[in-house]
Protein backbone atom coordinates (compact mmCIF):
# COMPACT_ATOMS: atom_id res chain seq x y z
CA UNK A 1 0.00 0.00 0.00
CA UNK A 2 1.56 3.30 -1.03
CA UNK A 3 2.40 5.65 1.78
CA UNK A 4 0.40 8.85 2.13
CA UNK A 5 2.27 12.06 1.37
CA UNK A 6 2.93 14.17 4.45
CA UNK A 7 0.32 16.85 5.15
CA UNK A 8 1.58 20.33 4.61
CA UNK A 9 0.95 23.01 7.17
CA UNK A 10 -0.94 26.07 5.91
CA UNK A 11 1.20 28.64 4.18
CA UNK A 12 1.73 32.15 5.47
CA UNK A 13 -0.95 33.64 3.24
CA UNK A 14 -3.56 31.14 4.47
CA UNK A 15 -2.61 31.76 8.10
CA UNK A 16 -2.89 35.50 7.50
CA UNK A 17 -6.39 35.12 6.07
CA UNK A 18 -7.41 32.94 9.01
CA UNK A 19 -6.04 35.50 11.45
CA UNK A 20 -7.92 38.31 9.72
CA UNK A 21 -11.15 36.30 9.79
CA UNK A 22 -10.69 35.56 13.48
CA UNK A 23 -9.99 39.19 14.32
CA UNK A 24 -13.01 40.34 12.32
CA UNK A 25 -15.28 37.77 13.98
CA UNK A 26 -14.05 38.81 17.42
CA UNK A 27 -14.60 42.50 16.66
CA UNK A 28 -18.13 41.89 15.38
CA UNK A 29 -18.98 39.81 18.43
CA UNK A 30 -17.46 42.42 20.74
CA UNK A 31 -19.61 45.23 19.34
CA UNK A 32 -22.74 43.21 20.14
CA UNK A 33 -21.48 42.26 23.60
CA UNK A 34 -20.42 45.79 24.58
CA UNK A 35 -23.59 47.28 23.14
CA UNK A 36 -25.78 44.81 25.04
CA UNK A 37 -23.98 44.65 28.38
CA UNK A 38 -21.66 47.68 28.48
CA UNK A 39 -17.96 47.42 29.25
CA UNK A 40 -18.35 46.31 32.87
CA UNK A 41 -20.94 43.66 32.05
CA UNK A 42 -19.23 42.34 28.93
CA UNK A 43 -17.67 38.89 29.20
CA UNK A 44 -14.74 37.70 27.12
CA UNK A 45 -16.13 34.16 27.20
CA UNK A 46 -19.39 35.28 25.56
CA UNK A 47 -17.49 37.25 22.92
CA UNK A 48 -15.36 34.22 22.10
CA UNK A 49 -18.41 31.95 21.96
CA UNK A 50 -20.27 34.31 19.62
CA UNK A 51 -17.17 34.65 17.42
CA UNK A 52 -16.57 30.90 17.40
CA UNK A 53 -12.98 31.18 18.62
CA UNK A 54 -10.92 30.22 21.65
CA UNK A 55 -11.07 33.07 24.15
CA UNK A 56 -7.27 33.03 24.40
CA UNK A 57 -7.21 34.55 20.93
CA UNK A 58 -8.75 37.73 22.36
CA UNK A 59 -5.71 38.18 24.58
CA UNK A 60 -3.41 37.20 21.73
CA UNK A 61 -4.83 39.69 19.23
CA UNK A 62 -6.05 42.49 21.51
CA UNK A 63 -4.36 42.06 24.89
CA UNK A 64 -7.66 41.52 26.72
CA UNK A 65 -11.05 43.16 27.12
CA UNK A 66 -9.79 46.74 27.36
CA UNK A 67 -7.67 46.40 24.24
CA UNK A 68 -10.64 44.91 22.43
CA UNK A 69 -12.88 47.79 23.48
CA UNK A 70 -10.24 50.24 22.22
CA UNK A 71 -10.04 48.39 18.91
CA UNK A 72 -13.82 48.55 18.55
CA UNK A 73 -13.75 52.30 19.19
CA UNK A 74 -10.90 52.78 16.71
CA UNK A 75 -12.83 50.87 14.06
CA UNK A 76 -15.68 53.36 14.42
CA UNK A 77 -13.32 56.32 14.04
CA UNK A 78 -11.90 54.70 10.91
CA UNK A 79 -15.34 55.06 9.33
CA UNK A 80 -15.30 58.83 9.81
CA UNK A 81 -14.13 59.80 6.29
CA UNK A 82 -16.93 57.79 4.70
CA UNK A 83 -19.56 59.36 6.96
CA UNK A 84 -18.16 62.87 6.61
CA UNK A 85 -16.76 63.06 3.06
CA UNK A 86 -15.15 66.28 1.83
CA UNK A 87 -17.63 68.66 0.25
CA UNK A 88 -20.72 67.02 1.76
CA UNK A 89 -23.39 69.28 3.22
CA UNK A 90 -24.07 68.96 6.93
CA UNK A 91 -27.55 67.74 6.02
CA UNK A 92 -26.02 64.85 4.10
CA UNK A 93 -23.60 64.12 6.95
CA UNK A 94 -26.50 63.94 9.40
CA UNK A 95 -28.28 61.50 7.09
CA UNK A 96 -25.12 59.39 6.87
CA UNK A 97 -24.96 59.14 10.66
CA UNK A 98 -28.60 58.07 10.86
CA UNK A 99 -27.98 55.23 8.43
CA UNK A 100 -24.81 54.26 10.31
CA UNK A 101 -26.74 54.13 13.59
CA UNK A 102 -29.46 51.92 12.12
CA UNK A 103 -26.91 49.66 10.42
CA UNK A 104 -24.72 49.34 13.53
CA UNK A 105 -26.99 49.96 16.54
CA UNK A 106 -24.76 48.22 19.07
CA UNK A 107 -22.00 50.77 18.49
CA UNK A 108 -24.40 53.55 19.43
CA UNK A 109 -25.67 51.58 22.42
CA UNK A 110 -22.06 51.42 23.59
CA UNK A 111 -22.03 55.23 23.55
CA UNK A 112 -25.13 55.19 25.77
CA UNK A 113 -23.37 52.89 28.23
CA UNK A 114 -20.44 55.29 28.28
CA UNK A 115 -22.82 58.19 28.87
CA UNK A 116 -23.98 56.38 32.01
CA UNK A 117 -20.39 56.18 33.26
CA UNK A 118 -19.45 52.74 31.92
CA UNK A 119 -16.16 53.71 30.28
CA UNK A 120 -13.82 50.97 31.41
CA UNK A 121 -10.42 51.46 33.07
CA UNK A 122 -9.16 54.08 30.59
CA UNK A 123 -11.63 56.89 29.93
CA UNK A 124 -9.35 58.79 27.55
CA UNK A 125 -10.20 58.76 23.86
CA UNK A 126 -7.90 61.16 22.05
CA UNK A 127 -9.16 60.21 18.60
CA UNK A 128 -12.76 60.93 19.57
CA UNK A 129 -11.82 64.26 21.12
CA UNK A 130 -9.85 65.29 18.03
CA UNK A 131 -12.69 64.19 15.76
CA UNK A 132 -15.33 66.11 17.73
CA UNK A 133 -13.15 69.22 17.76
CA UNK A 134 -12.88 69.03 13.98
CA UNK A 135 -16.63 68.53 13.77
CA UNK A 136 -17.30 71.66 15.84
CA UNK A 137 -14.78 73.66 13.82
CA UNK A 138 -16.49 72.55 10.63
CA UNK A 139 -19.91 73.58 11.96
CA UNK A 140 -18.47 77.00 12.85
CA UNK A 141 -17.00 77.34 9.34
CA UNK A 142 -20.37 76.46 7.82
CA UNK A 143 -21.95 79.17 9.95
CA UNK A 144 -19.45 81.70 8.64
CA UNK A 145 -20.16 80.63 5.06
CA UNK A 146 -23.90 81.06 5.55
CA UNK A 147 -24.84 77.38 5.31
CA UNK A 148 -25.98 77.44 8.94
CA UNK A 149 -27.37 80.26 11.11
CA UNK A 150 -24.71 82.11 13.14
CA UNK A 151 -26.77 82.58 16.29
CA UNK A 152 -26.25 79.07 17.69
CA UNK A 153 -23.13 77.87 19.50
CA UNK A 154 -21.52 75.35 17.09
CA UNK A 155 -20.96 72.92 19.96
CA UNK A 156 -24.66 72.88 20.81
CA UNK A 157 -25.62 72.56 17.16
CA UNK A 158 -23.17 69.72 16.55
CA UNK A 159 -24.30 67.85 19.65
CA UNK A 160 -27.96 68.24 18.70
CA UNK A 161 -27.37 66.89 15.20
CA UNK A 162 -25.37 63.92 16.46
CA UNK A 163 -27.99 63.12 19.12
CA UNK A 164 -30.80 63.42 16.58
CA UNK A 165 -28.99 61.01 14.26
CA UNK A 166 -28.86 58.38 17.01
CA UNK A 167 -32.53 58.80 17.97
CA UNK A 168 -33.97 55.79 16.07
CA UNK A 169 -31.66 53.48 18.03
CA UNK A 170 -31.44 55.23 21.39
CA UNK A 171 -35.07 56.34 21.62
CA UNK A 172 -36.77 53.54 19.71
CA UNK A 173 -39.58 53.08 22.31
CA UNK A 174 -40.38 56.80 22.19
CA UNK A 175 -40.37 56.72 18.39
CA UNK A 176 -42.78 53.79 18.46
CA UNK A 177 -45.06 55.65 20.87
CA UNK A 178 -45.08 58.55 18.40
CA UNK A 179 -46.40 56.24 15.71
CA UNK A 180 -43.12 55.56 13.90
CA UNK A 181 -43.23 51.86 13.07
CA UNK A 182 -40.10 49.73 13.38
CA UNK A 183 -37.77 52.69 14.07
CA UNK A 184 -34.67 50.49 13.90
CA UNK A 185 -35.47 49.05 10.48
CA UNK A 186 -33.52 50.03 7.38
CA UNK A 187 -36.62 51.40 5.66
CA UNK A 188 -37.52 53.63 8.60
CA UNK A 189 -33.88 54.63 8.96
CA UNK A 190 -33.83 55.81 5.35
CA UNK A 191 -37.06 57.75 5.90
CA UNK A 192 -35.75 59.35 9.09
CA UNK A 193 -32.41 60.17 7.45
CA UNK A 194 -34.28 62.12 4.77
CA UNK A 195 -36.38 63.90 7.40
CA UNK A 196 -33.35 64.90 9.48
CA UNK A 197 -31.61 66.07 6.34
CA UNK A 198 -34.58 68.34 5.59
CA UNK A 199 -34.48 69.66 9.16
CA UNK A 200 -30.78 70.52 8.96
CA UNK A 201 -31.28 72.19 5.58
CA UNK A 202 -34.11 74.23 7.09
CA UNK A 203 -31.68 75.62 9.65
CA UNK A 204 -29.80 77.26 6.81
CA UNK A 205 -33.01 78.91 5.61
CA UNK A 206 -33.88 80.26 9.07
CA UNK A 207 -33.47 84.01 9.69
CA UNK A 208 -30.08 84.83 11.18
CA UNK A 209 -29.96 86.28 14.64
CA UNK A 210 -28.36 85.80 18.01
CA UNK A 211 -30.57 85.39 21.09
CA UNK A 212 -30.22 88.05 23.76
Amino acid sequence: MPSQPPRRSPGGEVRQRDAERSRRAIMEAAVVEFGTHGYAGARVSRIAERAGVNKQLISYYFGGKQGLRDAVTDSWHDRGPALYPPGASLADVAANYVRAAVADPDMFRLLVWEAMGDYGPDTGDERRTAWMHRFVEDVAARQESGELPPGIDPRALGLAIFAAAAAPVVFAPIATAMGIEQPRSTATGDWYADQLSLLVRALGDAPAGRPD
Side-chain angles (χ1 to χ4, degrees), residues 17-55:
R17 287 199 301 268
D18 289 343
E20 290 173 355
R21 280 196 294 266
S22 295
R23 284 178 60 90
R24 185 166 57 251
I26 292 170
M27 291 274 287
E28 291 172 354
V31 171
V32 175
E33 179 72 9
F34 288 136
T36 303
H37 301 284
Y39 179 84
R43 296 292 177 265
V44 170
S45 58
R46 285 198 297 257
I47 295 172
E49 182 179 1
R50 179 182 291 272
V53 302
N54 189 305
K55 69 178 183 179

Side-chain angles (χ1 to χ4, degrees), residues 5 28 35 54 145 176 180:
E28 291 172 354
N54 189 305
S145 71
T176 301
I180 300 174

Side-chain angles (χ1 to χ4, degrees), residues 41 44 68-69 73 94 96 107 150 163 165 192 202 211:
V44 170
L68 180 54
R69 201 290 304 263
T73 302
N96 289 343
M107 192 68 224
Y192 180 72

Side-chain angles (χ1 to χ4, degrees), residues 145-161:
S145 71
E147 180 183 343
L148 296 170
I152 306 174
D153 189 306
R155 296 169 299 178
L157 185 54
L159 180 61
I161 291 173

